[in-house]
Amino acid sequence: MSEALEFDYVIGGAGSAGCVLARRLADAGNRVLLIEAGPRDNSWVIRMPAGLRSIFKPSSRYNYWFETEPQRNLDNRRIQQPRGRVLGGSSSINGMTWLRGHPLDYERWEQEGATNWGWKDCLPYFRKIERSDVSSAYRGTDGFIHAQRQEHLCPLNQAFLDAGVEAGFPLTDDVN
Ligand SMILES: Cc1cc2nc3c(=O)[nH]c(=O)nc-3n(C[C@H](O)[C@H](O)[C@H](O)COP(=O)(O)OP(=O)(O)OC[C@H]3O[C@@H](n4cnc5c(N)ncnc54)[C@H](O)[C@@H]3O)c2cc1C
């Protein structure tokens, strides 16, 4: 008779949150079962940014391709809601933009009852997760996620920034 497998934790969904949780629990010596509904992420359409387009259609096996209910204020249209159905979850099909919420949002949420979720509470974790190419009070350099400024600005991006400056908005080094 085969031996029953035993686990300390069972996690449903190997997306961003599930993978981090599994890694943390396993690193702490626990036996973890991570269950994912979608396939593996070892496809070129996921590994190569240009492949992303093929994931953004209803027929993709990597995308749940949800739709909202009809939106009254949008002429009753249903709005597409892509979500990753694959190892890595939505982070396997996302835009890889690295942007935090605005500090004032965290402050407001705390005032509304989310105790210990204020900006000062969250900032150390934002820093901990990052391996940034900039070292500052806002950036971490020892985490798992490599974060950097966009290397090559296309002329349109640059024109957009220039237009902002021309309109009187100061250019900042770090929007976060
Ligand atoms: C198109 C797109 C672009 C985005 N761009 C960005 C960006 O540029 N920057 C950014 O910061 N964020 C971006 N996001 C958001 C970010 O990817 C998500 O907020 C984040 O991945 C959510 O993590 P999660 O763990 O909550 O869910 P997910 O990562 O979606 O993981 C959920 C997982 O659970 C699995 N699952 C669901 N039900 C079951 C079940 N019953 N049994 C087993 N498995 C199940 C799913 O298959 C999925 O793999 C984007 C998201 C999308 C969809």
Side-chain angles (χ1 to χ4, degrees), residues 13-18 35-38 56 64 82-86 88-91 93-97:
S16 312
I35 299 174
E36 170 53 44
F56 282 84
Y64 284 102
R83 303 299 297 175
R85 180 185 169 277
V86 54
S90 296
S91 70
I93 67 162
N94 78 11
M96 295 194 291
T97 305

Side-chain angles (χ1 to χ4, degrees), residues 20-61:
V20 170
L21 198 57
R23 170 73 189 249
R24 293 288 188 214
L25 289 168
D27 281 353
N30 297 290
R31 282 173 65 86
V32 181
L33 176 63
L34 180 59
I35 299 174
E36 170 53 44
R40 295 186 68 87
D41 62 343
N42 54 354
S43 160
W44 71 269
V45 296
I46 289 174
R47 299 298 163 115
M48 197 171 108
L52 204 63
R53 277 206 71 79
S54 77
I55 298 174
F56 282 84
K57 50 188 175 190
S59 58
S60 171
R61 64 197 292 246

